């Protein structure tokens, strides 16, 4: 049995309360991983072209106030 299969089996056996707690933990984990990736990409300049395009669109009047 693979590690993933073991995890799937264990998760399937959780009580409703445990599953709720696990889901909250996993969601927080995914958010943290996403945040770290965005920070890494920003520091590496991978988002610069998007920022430049957004600023150009704003200067050209192609944006609106929220």
């Amino acid at each position: 049995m693979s590690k993933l299969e073991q995890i799937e089996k264990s998760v399937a056996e959780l009580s409703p309360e445990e599953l709720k707690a696990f889901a909250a933990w996993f969601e927080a984990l995914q958010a943290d991983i996403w945040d770290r990736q965005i920070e890494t990409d920003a520091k590496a300049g991978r988002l610069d072209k998007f920022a430049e395009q957004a600023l150009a669109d704003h200067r050209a009047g192609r944006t609106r106030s929220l």
Side-chain angles (χ1 to χ4, degrees):
M1 181 181 292
S2 73
K3 192 173 187 178
L4 178 57
E5 290 169 329
Q6 291 173 351
I7 292 168
E8 289 172 344
K9 183 179 183 302
S10 294
V11 170
E13 294 172 353
L14 295 174
S15 70
E17 296 82 20
E18 291 170 322
L19 184 57
K20 185 176 179 181
F22 172 77
W25 169 82
F26 190 71
E27 184 177 344
L29 175 66
Q30 288 180 304
D32 187 51
I33 291 168
W34 173 261
D35 289 345
R36 286 193 309 252
Q37 184 63 55
I38 291 293
E39 184 176 341
T40 298
D41 290 346
K43 286 180 181 177
R46 292 185 197 106
L47 304 176
D48 293 353
K49 66 180 176 185
F50 299 110
E52 290 166 10
Q53 183 62 52
L55 290 171
D57 287 344
H58 182 69
R59 283 188 221 103
R62 293 186 294 261
T63 60
R64 58 184 167 90
S65 297
L66 298 175

